[in-house]
Every structure is written in structure tokens, then in C-alpha cells.
Amino acid sequence: MIAIVGAGKMGEALLAGFLGTGYTPADVLVTESRREHAQDLWERFGVESVDVATAARRADTLVLAVKPQDMVALLNELSGVVDSRHLVISVAAGVTTDVLEKHLGGEVAVVRAMPNTPALRGVGMTALAAGTHATAEALDRTERLLRTVGDVVRVQERHMDTVTAISGSGPAYIYFVAETMVEAGVAMGMPRDIAQHLVSQTITGAAEMLRESGEHPVMLREAVTSPGGTTAAALRELERDGVRAAFTNAIEAAGNRSRQLSEG
């Protein structure tokens, strides 16, 4: 049985993903202190809401989906309750496997996961890092669960801050670019709804080509850029304004901040 500890947006996205890919409401528990939300989850998904101790007693897989600032208190609550029969998966940003293991004690199998918000639509990107006691079977089980809300890659713990900077925070960069493109279209006289439609489909199509073609982004960019054409003129301005360097600096800043949060 699986218990989702914390039924906020990400917890609910995982719940919907699990139930949409073969799991039944009888396979999943949630912990939710807000009575109204617990009732809402029951009415929409048919899942039972229990307290943390009950979740740990009845489930062998615990998905910790609380806010990072609430994680230590939760881990202390679980300490002494979970043991080597449990798989503990954390989706809280900045909480390392070392922190999880230190507070849980024993030989609990721990996996750290970093999903992003497109998981709410089933098209997320999640990276997994194994703790000291996580076996290959534990990683396989974690990957199967997280694939219900999108794609999954496995990385070493030392890369998780970079994961956070690239894919965890990444949707915000894309939305920033989309916002800029829409506003440029509006400034040039186009109705906002048409500009947003053009931008959203352009980003979706470009992302699909990048994923499906397997080609390097440089090759795809050059295929769009005719010598002396409109795209070349636009790219020349982006380079002149230092957009490439700004994006690199932004991603490094996000990675550094994630590292600071991990270090407490």
C-alpha cells in the first residue's frame, strides 16, 4: 500500500497519477489535516485520509509531499515508526537523502525525488537520487510510481541541485519567455488571446521537436535561421543583449540557492 503524506498540489497530482495508471483507491492512503480537503479527496478519488502514524503502519511505501520547512518535524514523527520494510520517497525540494536518513534512523530505504509542476498535468520531469539503503528494487518501484506523472531520470545526489535549477525551476523560465513573447505581440497590435495561442503552441511544438528528434538544440535552431532573415535578426539582438549569459547566470543562481537550502 502507498501513503501520500501531504495532499497539497504535488501530493494530489501524484494521487491522480497513481489512480490513473492501475492503482485503486484501496491501494492508496493520504494524510490531510484539513477536514474539508480530506472530505473533498474522498468524494473525488475515494481515498481514505488517516494520520501519519496510521499511514506508516498500514503502508509500505510513504511518499512525503509536505513543504520543505515542515519536513524535519514530519521525519521526527516518523522516526521509530518506519523501518527497513518501508520505502520512503521525498519530493520536498532541498531535503537531501542524508537529512532524511539522519532523522529516520535505521536502514530505511530512502529516495529523493525532484518533480516539477507540469506533473500536475501528467507531463512532469522527475529526477531520482538513491539513499544509502535504497536497493535497485526500491529505485525501480520509485520510478514506476513517478512515471505516472511524467518522465523520470536517475541521477547521483550531487546533481540534485542542478536538477532543481534546470527542471525544478525550469517551467518558470519558459513561462517568463512566453510572457515576454505574448506581451511583445500585444505591443505590436495583436489581440492577447491570439498572441497567447501562437506562443503556447509554438513552445509546445518546439519542445516536441527537441524531444522526438534527438537533435542538438543548435541544429534545430539553425534549421529555423535563414541567413539574413527575420530569425537571424532576432537572434542577433538576443546575443547583443546578453540573453544567453543571463540565462546561464540565472540557472547557476538557482543551483546555488538550492545548495544553500540543502545545507540548512
Side-chain angles (χ1 to χ4, degrees), residues 94 160-166 169 173 248-264:
M160 288 299 281
D161 293 321
T162 303
V163 167
T164 300
I166 293 175
S169 299
Y173 314 150
T248 300
N249 292 338
I251 292 169
E252 289 178 352
N256 291 336
R257 182 55 181 156
S258 176
R259 195 169 298 109
Q260 292 169 358
L261 292 172
S262 299
E263 294 169 354

Side-chain angles (χ1 to χ4, degrees), residues 123 216 257:
V123 289
H216 194 282
R257 182 55 181 156

Side-chain angles (χ1 to χ4, degrees), residues 185-209:
V186 172
M188 296 168 70
M190 178 172 285
R192 183 176 298 277
D193 59 336
I194 295 178
Q196 182 153 333
H197 188 182
L198 287 168
V199 170
S200 63
Q201 184 56 38
T202 297
I203 291 174
T204 300
E208 189 69 14
M209 285 190 68

Side-chain angles (χ1 to χ4, degrees), residues 11-23 45 119 122 145 147-149:
E12 190 171 320
L14 293 172
L15 173 60
F18 297 164
L19 296 180
T21 53
Y23 294 93
F45 298 106
L145 286 174
R147 281 197 180 279
T148 64
V149 292

Side-chain angles (χ1 to χ4, degrees), residues 183-253:
E183 293 304 321
V186 172
M188 296 168 70
M190 178 172 285
R192 183 176 298 277
D193 59 336
I194 295 178
Q196 182 153 333
H197 188 182
L198 287 168
V199 170
S200 63
Q201 184 56 38
T202 297
I203 291 174
T204 300
E208 189 69 14
M209 285 190 68
L210 179 63
R211 184 179 67 172
E212 295 297 330
S213 71
E215 293 185 7
H216 194 282
V218 169
M219 301 297 294
L220 295 174
R221 173 175 58 79
E222 289 180 347
V224 183
T225 310
S226 301
T230 58
T231 306
L235 293 173
R236 184 172 60 250
E237 290 300 315
L238 292 175
E239 291 287 5
R240 181 179 298 163
D241 291 339
V243 172
R244 186 190 301 270
F247 263 99
T248 300
N249 292 338
I251 292 169
E252 289 178 352

Side-chain angles (χ1 to χ4, degrees), residues 84-223:
S84 58
R85 77 180 179 89
H86 287 95
L87 167 61
V88 176
I89 304 167
S90 168
V91 298
V95 182
T96 65
T97 55
D98 183 61
V99 168
L100 295 166
E101 292 173 340
K102 176 182 176 181
H103 285 275
L104 292 175
E107 295 187 356
V108 180
V110 165
V111 177
R112 178 184 176 186
M114 183 69 243
N116 59 14
T117 56
L120 299 171
R121 294 292 182 267
V123 289
M125 182 71 245
T126 302
L128 306 180
T132 306
H133 308 295
T135 63
E137 190 278 330
L139 268 176
D140 288 343
R141 194 183 343 162
T142 302
E143 182 168 331
R144 286 195 300 272
L145 286 174
L146 274 299
R147 281 197 180 279
T148 64
V149 292
D151 202 359
V152 177
V153 296
R154 301 182 186 187
V155 300
Q156 296 179 358
E157 174 78 44
R158 63 190 177 90
H159 294 309
M160 288 299 281
D161 293 321
T162 303
V163 167
T164 300
I166 293 175
S167 67
S169 299
Y173 314 150
I174 305 304
Y175 301 145
F176 183 83
V177 171
E179 175 190 356
T180 301
M181 292 172 69
V182 170
E183 293 304 321
V186 172
M188 296 168 70
M190 178 172 285
R192 183 176 298 277
D193 59 336
I194 295 178
Q196 182 153 333
H197 188 182
L198 287 168
V199 170
S200 63
Q201 184 56 38
T202 297
I203 291 174
T204 300
E208 189 69 14
M209 285 190 68
L210 179 63
R211 184 179 67 172
E212 295 297 330
S213 71
E215 293 185 7
H216 194 282
V218 169
M219 301 297 294
L220 295 174
R221 173 175 58 79
E222 289 180 347

